[in-house]
Amino acid sequence: MMPIANNYTLLDAAVVECAYAGCSAIWIICNDDTAPLLRHRIGDYIEDPSYYYFNTSANRDQRKRIPIFWIPQHPKDRDKRDCLSWSVIYGSLVAFKVSSGISKWTIPDKYYVSFPYGLANPREVMTMRRKISSPNNFYFSSNQKTVQDNIYTSFTFGKEEFIKYRRNARKGTGHWKGDYGNMEKLPLEDRWSARFFELKDVFNDLDLDSANILHGETYFNISSWEEYRNYMISDYSKDIVKPPKELFSYKEFNRVAAN
């Protein structure tokens, strides 16, 4: 919820980037105690920018809405492995299970990840829509660095990468150590080490040679006060504005079969 412009936050920018990237649905992973507040700001959907800007018809039926869903962290992961990297893995798993329960035609084959700690120009991302949806993975690069260099740049992954990333996240310690029958508790500071995993600990060994890479001209990694200050004094911060209300603002879907 860090503000980056008038009435515009980093979370808003992450949602807008997903829409510009061509996502068919947006899944936001957060704690269930903060989800109601965030939903009250974000709403239930965002307009697809490609339909909004390139469709001159005033008829809203000619536009495409991208639904926004909210995924709470699983209680068993709280204070154990609830790092940002695990949120990505768990969120994609829930999205897969929910979609597969509806129909096999709604199962996603790619997952696009956008972090609320990095700011890119969404119009640059929009130029890569076809490559983002292609079988090859997509990575946003800034100064020759990607997510495996511990910066919050966007990327996509599929089934094979999911298995690898989940295996990396599970390398953390638990409550006990030793073999069965000869186990003892770990010291408090050594328990559940996965909750402290950084991006580079999970999202590594990327297939950059065969991937689609966008070398972005505009990107700000905003994970500390110093980085936030550098962004606020930049020229880009003076030009950025929130998208039009018709494209992105708090809106709800109409209820079905309700009085």
Side-chain angles (χ1 to χ4, degrees):
M1 296 295 287
M2 185 72 75
I4 54 176
N6 184 29
N7 195 28
Y8 197 45
T9 68
L10 279 171
L11 179 60
D12 298 336
V15 172
V16 170
E17 182 185 330
C18 290
Y20 273 82
C23 297
S24 58
I26 299 175
W27 303 73
I28 300 177
I29 301 91
C30 61
N31 291 336
D32 51 6
D33 55 345
T34 59
L37 174 63
L38 299 179
R39 180 188 173 277
H40 183 71
R41 176 177 181 83
I42 301 297
D44 288 344
Y45 65 90
I46 180 176
E47 298 279 354
D48 190 321
S50 65
Y51 285 76
Y52 177 81
Y53 286 114
F54 302 111
N55 184 358
T56 58
S57 173
N59 187 353
R60 292 183 178 273
D61 293 336
Q62 301 299 323
R63 298 179 182 176
K64 179 182 178 182
R65 295 175 176 177
I66 304 174
I68 300 174
F69 303 100
W70 301 85
I71 304 176
Q73 282 283 4
H74 199 285
K76 71 177 183 180
D77 296 328
R78 292 281 186 91
D79 300 323
K80 294 181 180 179
R81 54 184 177 188
D82 55 347
C83 62
L84 192 61
S85 302
W86 180 255
S87 297
V88 173
I89 298 170
Y90 179 71
S92 61
L93 178 61
V94 173
F96 172 83
K97 288 184 176 180
V98 173
S99 301
S100 61
I102 298 174
S103 170
K104 67 178 182 179
W105 305 110
T106 62
I107 297 177
D109 51 3
K110 282 287 181 182
Y111 303 91
Y112 184 89
V113 181
S114 178
F115 297 103
Y117 299 101
L119 179 63
N121 187 345
R123 294 189 178 275
E124 292 183 5
V125 177
M126 194 175 189
T127 62
M128 299 287 289
R129 266 198 171 199
R130 289 190 176 181
K131 293 185 178 181
I132 290 174
S133 60
S134 68
N136 294 337
N137 288 323
F138 163 82
Y139 300 98
F140 189 100
S141 173
S142 175
N143 296 324
Q144 305 301 320
K145 294 183 178 181
T146 61
V147 65
Q148 71 175 356
D149 298 300
N150 229 33
I151 63 173
Y152 297 96
T153 52
S154 304
F155 66 100
T156 64
F157 66 95
K159 179 181 177 181
E160 294 181 0
E161 292 77 24
F162 168 83
I163 296 174
K164 180 177 67 174
Y165 297 156
R166 185 177 61 176
R167 185 183 302 116
N168 291 340
R170 287 177 172 175
K171 291 179 180 179
T173 59
H175 190 90
W176 304 83
K177 69 175 182 179
D179 299 327
Y180 182 76
N182 186 27
M183 303 181 67
E184 59 181 11
K185 289 184 178 181
L186 286 168
L188 291 176
E189 61 274 12
D190 295 335
R191 297 177 189 175
W192 312 113
S193 60
R195 57 183 166 155
F196 303 114
F197 277 5
E198 298 181 336
L199 299 179
K200 63 182 180 181
D201 298 323
V202 177
F203 307 118
N204 49 42
D205 297 328
L206 306 182
D207 53 339
L208 298 178
D209 294 335
S210 61
N212 299 309
I213 302 177
L214 171 60
H215 299 280
E217 297 181 1
T218 304
Y219 175 77
F220 293 90
N221 201 67
I222 307 177
S223 59
S224 65
W225 173 254
E226 182 178 358
E227 292 175 336
Y228 180 65
R229 184 184 59 184
N230 292 337
Y231 160 75
M232 292 302 292
I233 63 177
S234 68
D235 294 334
Y236 185 72
S237 65
K238 302 175 183 178
D239 299 329
I240 189 171
V241 294
K242 186 175 182 178
K245 289 185 178 181
E246 294 79 6
L247 173 65
F248 177 55
S249 62
Y250 177 77
K251 295 185 288 289
E252 292 185 354
F253 284 116
N254 293 329
R255 295 186 177 185
V256 178
N259 294 329

